[in-house]
Structures are given as structure tokens and as C-alpha cells.
Amino acid sequence: MSPRPDTAARQQPSPPSPPSDRVRRFTRAERWVHRTTAALMGVCVATAACLYLPEFAELVGRRDLVVRLHEWAGLLLPLPLLAGLASRALRADLGRLNRFGPHDGTWLREALRRRRGPAGKFNAGQKIYASWLAGATLVMLGTGLVMWFTHLTPLMWRTSATFVHDWLALTLGVVLAGHIGMALRDPESRTGLRTGTVDRAWAEREHELWRP
């Protein structure tokens, strides 16, 4: 007896489903760490501009309030990352950012020639930026605390801390402007930070060594 048509159809293996055109790049926890850190950094930069540029200072006024916002935003700046360490995905990505391989040197050489080089989930430029930003944030936090608690340190320490804090703040502003400019030129990268997924073709083109 031949099997019924519906039974025979169920016995045939189903065709493989096509691969999704989107791949997961960041988890919700990673995206919220980035957003809250960016918001706090934005407050620091905006209030610093109001404190040091006369045009903004006159426009905003209320210097005492601006100072307090600047101090507390700077003090809270490391907290999103520290809270995010509870995420396994974030810890894994921090490990990737902290490791440099031979392909990263190739990426840098190709970048100097304005060509695309091999990259894993993060390219060498992103790794250097993340390392520099982490170090700069710690220095800014340390010098800011010295300037805040004036009665705990001698005058020479406060003067040196002010000098380092001010010039590093200017450098930080320039680097952040460059970071934002590069992000504006790469809409798919921004989509990854907003939604957590990126186009598979973009991932294969820009991060060919990454295996999501």
C-alpha cells in the first residue's frame, strides 16, 4: 500500500531556510551602556564648553549649576560600564577590544593607504580609540577629583591637575568630534548600536574575520 500523499509530504526533508540578512552585533545591555555613557560624556563636554568659552557662559549663565552638573556627570561616567560588566557579551567584547593581532597591524597599514584591511568584530582603529578613551576618562576623573576636593591636596598638585584636565579635555573634545564624524559616515554601524543587528553583507565586507 502506498503512503497517503499528505504522509509522504511530511516524510520529505524540508529545504534549508535561507540565511538571515541581519546578524546580531550588540546585546541590549551593550547598547544601553553605550547610550548612557554617551549621554554622560555629552553632559561633560557641553558643561565644559559653558565653563571655558565666554560666549556659551554668557548664554547659559548659572555657573554654579553648570559646575555641579559637570562634576556629577564626570563622577558618574564610569558607572554604566561597571554595571554592564554583569553582561557576558560585554565582557567578551571588552576582551576583543583589548587584544591586538597581526591582522590589526595590516589594517592600520591599509588605513594609511585609504584602503580596507582585515578586521574582526572590531577593527584596529576602534581598539585604539577604546583604549585611549578609557585611559583619558580615568585621567580626567582623577584630575577632576583633585580639583574638586581642594582641601585634600597641595597647591602644586591642584595646579598640575588643572593643567592636565583642561588640555586633555580639549583633546578629548577633538577625538570625540572625529568619532562622531566617522559614525555619521557609516549608517550601518549606527544601526548596529541602535537596534543591535547589522546587515550581513556589511559585516562580511567591513569585518571579514568576524564570525557572529
Side-chain angles (χ1 to χ4, degrees), residues 5 10 25-26 34 36 61 66-67 70 92 97 110 183 197 206 210:
R10 285 198 299 269
R25 184 162 175 83
F26 297 114
H34 184 270
T36 51
V66 174
V67 169
H70 185 78
L97 286 167
E110 293 300 313
T197 64
E206 299 290 339
W210 176 39

Side-chain angles (χ1 to χ4, degrees), residues 25-152:
R25 184 162 175 83
F26 297 114
T27 63
R28 184 181 301 233
E30 291 177 292
R31 302 199 306 274
W32 275 105
V33 167
H34 184 270
R35 290 170 185 170
T36 51
T37 301
L40 289 170
M41 184 67 75
V43 173
C44 288
V45 172
T47 51
C50 294
L51 291 173
Y52 287 97
L53 299 178
E55 296 81 5
F56 291 151
E58 294 176 2
L59 182 64
V60 176
R62 305 192 66 178
R63 182 178 176 85
D64 289 342
L65 176 61
V66 174
V67 169
R68 292 294 171 263
L69 286 174
H70 185 78
E71 291 172 341
W72 281 104
L75 193 62
L76 295 174
L77 192 57
L79 293 187
L81 179 60
L82 293 176
L85 291 176
S87 167
R88 180 180 301 177
L90 178 62
R91 295 197 304 271
D93 277 350
L94 289 177
R96 294 186 183 97
L97 286 167
N98 196 41
R99 286 194 297 270
F100 284 79
H103 63 277
D104 291 311
T106 304
W107 187 94
L108 290 172
R109 288 191 295 271
E110 293 300 313
L112 292 175
R113 302 183 180 96
R114 297 185 178 276
R115 296 191 303 216
R116 186 182 299 114
K121 186 173 184 179
F122 303 103
N123 61 46
Q126 292 168 325
K127 293 178 181 181
I128 293 173
Y129 170 76
S131 299
W132 185 89
L133 186 63
T137 299
L138 290 176
V139 173
M140 292 292 287
L141 179 60
T143 53
L145 289 173
V146 171
M147 296 163 60
W148 191 357
F149 298 102
T150 56
H151 60 286
L152 297 180

Side-chain angles (χ1 to χ4, degrees), residues 170-182:
L170 178 61
T171 306
L172 189 61
V174 173
V175 173
L176 287 174
H179 175 69
I180 294 172
M182 294 185 69

